[in-house]
Amino acid sequence: MAYELTPSRNRKILIALWLFLYASFALIVPPLLNDADSVHAEVAREMIVRRDPVTLYANGIRYLEKAPLLYWSMAASMELFGVGAVAARLPLALFALALFLVTESFARRAFRSARAGFYAAMLLLLCFGIFIFTRILIPDVIVCLWLTASLHCFWITEQQGEQPWRLPAIGFGAACALNLLTKGLIGLVFPIGTIVLYLLITRGFAGTLRRLWKLHPISALVTFLLIGAPWHIAAGRANPTEGHPAGLTHPGHIFPLFWKGWLVGEPSYGNVHGWTWFYFMNEYLLRYLNLRVPRDYATVPLLLFWGLLLVWMMPWSAFLFKAVGAAPWRAFRSRGVALSLDSEQKTLLLLTIAGLLPLVFFSFSTRQEYYVLPSLPFFAMLIGGWLDREATEVEDGVIPATLGQSGQRIATVLLAFGTLASFACVFFLAHANEPPPTFELATMLQRHPGFYGLSFGHVFDLNANAMGAFRDPLTLTAVALFGGTLIAWWLRKNYRPHHANIVLGIATAMFLVAAHKGLQTFAPVLSSERLVRTIQPDLRPDDLIVINGEYESGSTLGFYLHRDNIHIWNGRSSSLWYGSFFTDAPEIFETDASMRLRWTGVQRIFVWTEPGKLPALPGRTYIVAEGGGKQIISNRDTVY
């Protein structure tokens, strides 16, 4: 069956799948969500308005915590196609396509099989984690792209013997620089850490030094600096320290050996560290040590973090243990074994280290659900190589077909889990009442604010009562999980593993469509776009927009209303907190006293709030828009 797949055919199939799942309905619906999704889109929009590609701004305030490449790409897209959700999402979709194509090329060359390349890229494209975290405008899929590209360049040098070419070194330096511009220092930590560990295992300390010198480090460094340094220098110059900010202190009388006990001084108006300190010290070192200010983030428990690897790769994670088990693990313990590895075994070792390093690295720091993503391309390649070897063994009639038998056992486990999951979907379908045509999902949910620090923490608000609103996604999920795993099991039992993998891919695509449909159903709770459409036709430039709470809780107002001057009532925190202490920060923060004075004035005011959380105001209040567990309150009962 391997001859049926060629590099050209692989790319055509992958582009077709990408067009269906990533570049069609996914670009259009749902609307941008509150928090990171719309905040990042608004940063790109304000970059266009300000004509400033160096300093990022959100709601008119310096937004110093992020690297710029995602925002540059979104701003360029908005310049070409106009400001909107589709233009904001398109660059991330294109980066995802590039990731799939680079993964296909890497795996195809590494395993000398077009089918292995296709499997690796297909299952990465169909990974639940990759798909769901491209529904939010965060840069982690771009990190996966540059990390995969950088290690692909290094792998090429390994195939070139003792005199590697200069071009892969230049490519490595460029990929690391672009990763630095995507998400900061991990763009260096992961590729360099992977390479150093790999070389230490396969060549020893002295051999590692000799090999590194042969990899044209000067060319790589010059390329890296030419691409990565200019923005960092410009950002530091454009955002210097103001006043006399507080630094790190420790209450002990002796110099502490560990980070525990350190106190991080908070800024005050006009006394604030500049971009260099905030970006490198606060956002990277202190965040890794869980000392970052403000501490406005949650961290995923360690066991859940590792377990999410299986969730984000499902159903392909069922093959993960066999795929990783094929790596030459004895090389970690025995120098003699490491020195005797052949080319394929070294490739397996490199991919295994690349997959495990991000997981181990974040095991000692704060972590989010999507911090698993940099591992996925390399585990996808390991699984793709294993699936190809299994299919080849069965097709060649090898006896005993040990890989084929393992594949059959895995198919049985998948069928069992698929059946249980589909039964759960059927149970909810049978016991959940179908909501009325004009239902309000927010009234059916049971709120758990403790989980909202996580990316999809609102999922924990779901209960049996709310499941009736998800009948279509549940039905499609049940069909995909049971039908897909059943047919794949039958095909593997009949020694047709390649066809089983294709069926499993189709079932996974169906599940992703169901997941997207579920997100679309949930969107009114996660977005304020519907409220914007209600008030936008009669809104005037001199009307005041206020968010009661953190800016992120209603940030879709800024993007969809094209406003960078939304006032924040009792919500000076999170993304806007640090930048608000610079002396050029606009005066947008309101207190209860200031809002009481404004409320009885001549200016029309719209206040975004959650029901029951509006502080007492003098005079009348009027609900002018409502939905998704949110309201917009005004001090006027009629429009102009």
Side-chain angles (χ1 to χ4, degrees), residues 11 55 130 221:
R11 288 190 288 269
T55 302
I130 295 292
L221 179 61

Side-chain angles (χ1 to χ4, degrees), residues 110-126:
F111 297 111
R112 298 176 176 85
S113 167
R115 180 162 60 186
F118 173 72
Y119 282 159
M122 178 191 71
L123 70 89
L124 187 65
L125 187 151
L126 297 174

Side-chain angles (χ1 to χ4, degrees), residues 259 282-292 295 297-302 305 358-369 371:
W259 61 87
N282 194 61
E283 282 303 305
Y284 292 103
L285 179 60
L286 296 182
R287 189 185 187 103
Y288 187 84
L289 300 177
N290 201 21
L291 295 173
R292 173 189 181 269
R295 199 183 186 287
Y297 51 90
T299 187
V300 176
L302 183 59
F305 177 71
L359 298 174
V360 174
F361 179 84
F362 287 121
S363 294
F364 296 95
S365 77
T366 58
R367 52 201 161 264
Q368 290 289 311
E369 310 98 299
Y371 286 9

Side-chain angles (χ1 to χ4, degrees), residues 9-23:
R9 184 169 296 178
N10 284 356
R11 288 190 288 269
K12 290 176 182 177
I13 296 173
L14 292 172
I15 291 172
L17 286 171
W18 171 81
L19 284 170
F20 173 61
L21 288 173
Y22 289 81

Side-chain angles (χ1 to χ4, degrees), residues 3 21 60 129 133 151 162 183 194 230 258 271-272 283 308 313 327 374 391 437 467 471 481 499 547 560 571 580 603:
Y3 66 88
L21 288 173
F133 284 112
L151 292 180
E162 292 303 311
K183 204 167 181 177
T194 297
F258 301 101
N271 296 286
V272 56
E283 282 303 305
L308 284 173
M313 294 199 75
M467 285 299 180
R471 299 187 70 85
L481 294 183
H499 294 89
I547 292 176
Y560 283 108
S580 70
Q603 186 179 29

Side-chain angles (χ1 to χ4, degrees), residues 150 176 208 242 245 263 344 382 396 431 462 564 574 630 634:
S150 62
C176 288
T208 296
E242 292 186 356
L263 301 175
E344 182 175 349
L382 288 171
D396 290 347
H431 291 81
L462 289 172
D564 57 4
S574 197
K630 302 170 285 291
S634 180

Side-chain angles (χ1 to χ4, degrees), residues 182-361:
T182 299
K183 204 167 181 177
L185 295 179
I186 64 169
L188 292 175
V189 172
F190 291 161
I192 293 177
T194 297
I195 291 170
V196 170
L197 287 173
Y198 167 82
L199 291 177
L200 287 172
I201 292 171
T202 57
R203 296 174 183 262
F205 182 76
T208 296
L209 294 179
R210 289 192 297 270
R211 183 60 178 176
L212 288 174
W213 183 249
K214 291 181 179 180
L215 294 178
H216 306 285
I218 303 300
S219 297
L221 179 61
V222 169
T223 304
F224 172 81
L225 292 176
L226 286 175
I227 297 174
W231 176 79
H232 289 81
I233 295 171
R237 291 171 62 89
N239 300 277
T241 295
E242 292 186 356
H244 303 281
L248 290 170
T249 59
H250 194 279
H253 298 291
I254 61 173
F255 187 79
L257 297 178
F258 301 101
W259 61 87
K260 292 184 178 179
W262 281 104
L263 301 175
V264 183
E266 294 191 355
S268 60
Y269 184 76
N271 296 286
V272 56
H273 287 287
W275 174 88
T276 303
W277 185 94
F278 181 79
Y279 187 76
F280 288 109
M281 177 66 76
N282 194 61
E283 282 303 305
Y284 292 103
L285 179 60
L286 296 182
R287 189 185 187 103
Y288 187 84
L289 300 177
N290 201 21
L291 295 173
R292 173 189 181 269
V293 292
R295 199 183 186 287
D296 55 356
Y297 51 90
T299 187
V300 176
L302 183 59
L303 290 178
L304 176 59
F305 177 71
W306 280 78
L308 284 173
L309 173 65
L310 304 180
V311 176
W312 298 150
M313 294 199 75
M314 66 177 190
W316 312 104
S317 49
F319 301 95
L320 179 63
F321 297 102
K322 283 292 182 181
V324 174
W329 288 94
R330 291 181 59 194
F332 288 92
R333 304 190 305 270
S334 171
R335 178 73 185 283
V337 172
L339 292 175
S340 64
L341 296 178
D342 60 26
S343 177
E344 182 175 349
Q345 290 173 322
K346 288 182 178 180
T347 295
L348 293 175
L349 177 65
L350 176 66
L351 295 176
T352 301
I353 295 172
L356 290 176
L357 182 59
L359 298 174
V360 174
F361 179 84

